[in-house]
Amino acid sequence: MTIVALYVPSDRPERVVKALRSGADGVIVDLEDAVAPARKAVAREMLASLAGEIDAAAREGSVVAVQVRINARGSAWHDDDLAALRPLPASIGVRLSKTQSADDVVHVRQALPGRDVHALLETALAVERAFEIATSGAASISTGEADLRAELAVPEGEEGEAGLRWSRSRVVNAAAAAGLPAPLLSVYADVRDLDGLERSCREGARLGFGGRTAIHPRQLAVIRSVFTPTEAAVRRAEEIIARVGSAAGDGSGTVVLEDGTFLDVAMVRAAHRTLAAARR
């Protein structure tokens, strides 16, 4: 389970190497916003060494999920990005920027068969189509909030958190309805404001997000501390699984804990999710 994923520009290979050993659960090698137009071709060429760097990091004990964020369908760079990904191992996922429709996901899946496609929803229209996109074969959906803030006239930083709440909840709900993992929150742009990052993460956790993407290694510990279940939460999840499992076994199907909480078998799913997050 990915709790924190670190973005790194593809045209900075030394940063890619460091990111793979940073302690992040995932690394997103970026061909889009982090790479200037004049550097796009260089960034694609650098991808040729990515599989080797992943293998080297794994031999050193650093095993992470890796994605490549590509430029949006219809952009001048999209087709070349797809071509650069084809020779890479299928275990490297593709993160599709500015996904606007289910057809965008289908297009990439057909161009890169066997590879997970993770859809970034960055506009009001994409958020309105969240469930359609989530059920198009995407491996995950999540928000990209820089463009979304601009379109919705939502202020930058913490001031705009409330203005994004509905859009964020819409995406969380669509992912759950489609049976996808809980989305990752978009990046927090001020890498120096760790207190603000923590508050923002807690707001996202309350809405149902499962983690967050980061743009600097110093953000990783804060994100992980918020989204990793506490020891008390883990103990409770273990109790729920054990007690409800026993109830199901003896045919009762329900149980009441010592604190008066009424449980049934439906709550086991959330408990398993808690334990999965705790294992990272």
Side-chain angles (χ1 to χ4, degrees), residues 4 6-7 15 18-19 22 191 194 214-222:
V4 55
L6 180 62
Y7 275 102
R15 292 190 184 180
K18 291 180 180 178
S22 66
V191 299
L194 298 183
I215 54 174
H216 195 283
R218 69 165 60 104
Q219 298 177 314
L220 302 183
V222 173

Side-chain angles (χ1 to χ4, degrees), residues 1-5 25 184 210-212 223-224 227-229 277-278 280:
M1 180 175 180
T2 298
I3 290 177
V4 55
D25 304 318
L184 298 181
R212 187 163 210 156
I223 296 170
R224 190 178 299 283
F227 287 100
T228 299
R280 293 303 307 178

